[in-house]
Amino acid sequence: GGGLAYGSAVACIVECNTANSEGGGVNARNADIVNSIINNNTCSSYGAGINVVGSVTVTNCNIVNNSGYGFYNNGSGNVVYNTVIWGNKNNNASSNFYNNSGSISITYSAVEGGAAGVGNIQLASQNSGDGLHPMFVNPTQGVGTTYSGGDWHVMEGSALVNAGASDIALPENDL
């Protein structure tokens, strides 16, 4: 992983990292990624945002605007909960998920193009004028490591505010 390899992350911003393979932002193995923003990372293969090996839980995160797959799954028993996955591009095409092997459960999350699972919200494409968009505070204009300094928090007034499940324990300071 260009930003984090094989460790857990709580309340982190993983931004503008590069890897040739296995996670431009995070290469996660048997880890928890909680309350974090993973944006503008680049990877030519196996997940620009997060590459997952083993069992990983991603809770209350924004995985956005990465150049390559946002979430690349190579593990089993993985859980994505209360998370926004949007604007990830691979060769200028939407590439938010790739399930290479294993299993993944996505619930109470907002995903560009949608995802099967309880409580999920389907977000419109970044380039679409129609549909539901996440409404970030100050997103960067491009995808990848040359675009830093944006604010990927969801704005007040977004349909995503208070739309996730509230039955989880979160850190006192929410990113």
Side-chain angles (χ1 to χ4, degrees), residues 38-40 49 61-71 83-89 93-97 109-114 121-143 151-152 154 160:
I38 301 164
N39 69 284
N40 290 86
C61 293
N62 288 347
I63 304 169
V64 294
N65 224 47
N66 295 288
S67 182
Y69 292 104
F71 191 103
T83 292
V84 177
I85 302 174
W86 184 82
N88 300 287
K89 302 287 183 208
S94 179
S95 60
N96 291 292
F97 277 105
S109 295
V111 180
E112 180 179 344
I121 297 171
Q122 180 174 337
L123 296 175
S125 169
Q126 185 172 4
N127 297 317
S128 169
D130 298 326
L132 182 64
H133 296 272
M135 293 178 55
F136 295 111
V137 172
N138 185 27
T140 58
Q141 296 303 306
V143 175
D151 185 345
W152 292 98
V154 176
L160 304 183

Side-chain angles (χ1 to χ4, degrees), residues 30-52:
N30 303 325
D32 294 316
I33 311 297
V34 181
N35 202 39
S36 295
I37 298 173
I38 301 164
N39 69 284
N40 290 86
N41 299 288
T42 300
C43 187
S44 55
S45 62
Y46 305 116
I50 298 179
N51 178 60
V52 172

